[in-house]
């Protein structure tokens, strides 16, 4: 074997090893780490529920109920986004919405709406209503709701919001 072929073989072996490692990490189904539990956060489900249920009633849909598991999942996501100062459903390599909410006890199917910057429950719910995809989630075949906010930390920090819709 020539030196060039040997070098190519080693590179290919390294690539395959990395792919195998990445696949193993991505398939890990452990409970999410409580990365943001030290941040403040607040359950806003009771304040959001009448707004969401009024919207659903306008569309002839049954009302939602408070789902404590969805509330836990929403609070976890709001704190996680505030901790990282990043509004995103998926944060980091191997993040998985289904695994994340199931770890909080949410029954699937479920959906999540997120937002950043709104200063009140009314403002965030209306922002979601004015967004076609978020509106579709709120009018979906769900029975449970959890809504939370984390104000984050530091000067000028904007609030991070999460809504989890579930089946209870």
């Amino acid at each position: 074997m020539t030196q060039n072929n040997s070098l190519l073989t080693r590179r290919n072996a390294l690539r395959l090893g990395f792919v195998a490692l990445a696949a193993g990490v991505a398939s890990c189904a452990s409970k999410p780490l409580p990365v943001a539990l030290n941040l403040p956060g607040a359950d806003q489900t009771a304040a959001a529920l009448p707004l969401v249920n009024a919207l659903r009633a306008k569309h002839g849909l049954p009302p939602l109920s408070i789902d404590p598991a969805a509330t836990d999942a929403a609070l976890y996501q709001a704190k996680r986004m505030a901790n990282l100062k990043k509004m995103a459903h998926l944060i980091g390599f191997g993040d998985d919405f289904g695994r994340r909410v199931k770890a909080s006890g949410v029954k699937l199917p479920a959906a999540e709406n997120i937002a950043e910057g709104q200063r009140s429950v009314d403002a965030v719910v209306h922002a979601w209503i004015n967004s076609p995809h978020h509106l579709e989630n709120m009018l979906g075949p769900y029975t449970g709701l959890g809504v939370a906010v984390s104000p984050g930390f530091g000067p000028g920090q904007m609030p991070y919001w999460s809504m989890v819709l579930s089946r209870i």
Side-chain angles (χ1 to χ4, degrees):
M1 186 183 306
T2 67
Q3 187 173 9
N4 284 343
N5 285 344
S6 177
L7 184 58
L8 287 174
T9 302
R10 276 190 247 140
R11 284 184 185 160
N12 286 338
L14 285 173
R15 283 186 191 124
L16 286 174
F18 177 75
V19 169
L21 176 64
V25 170
S27 68
C28 179
S30 62
K31 187 170 182 169
L33 296 175
V35 296
L37 294 181
N38 60 333
L39 286 179
D43 173 4
Q44 295 294 311
T45 310
L49 190 63
L51 301 170
V52 175
N53 281 340
L55 168 73
R56 289 176 63 87
K58 268 182 27 182
H59 290 271
L61 296 169
L64 302 177
S65 300
I66 293 174
D67 178 358
T71 300
D72 288 347
L75 188 57
Y76 177 79
Q77 179 65 2
K79 287 181 173 188
R80 190 168 82 129
M81 291 187 301
N83 183 58
L84 297 170
K85 298 179 183 174
K86 179 179 182 176
M87 185 184 79
H89 293 282
L90 303 177
I91 301 172
F93 181 76
D95 196 6
D96 180 275
F97 169 72
R99 270 188 271 161
R100 178 167 41 86
V101 297
K102 279 175 64 177
S104 293
V106 174
K107 294 180 181 135
L108 298 180
E112 178 179 72
N113 289 346
I114 58 173
E116 173 189 19
Q118 292 80 8
R119 301 287 182 183
S120 69
V121 171
D122 188 62
V124 76
V125 170
H126 282 90
W128 285 326
I129 288 170
N130 291 321
S131 166
H133 183 68
H134 296 106
L135 175 62
E136 181 182 328
N137 284 344
M138 291 187 290
L139 298 177
Y142 304 107
T143 56
L145 181 71
V147 178
V149 63
S150 180
F153 53 92
Q157 181 67 35
M158 303 299 276
Y160 288 87
W161 295 86
S162 179
M163 169 188 279
V164 174
L165 298 125
S166 65
R167 292 268 183 113
I168 52 174

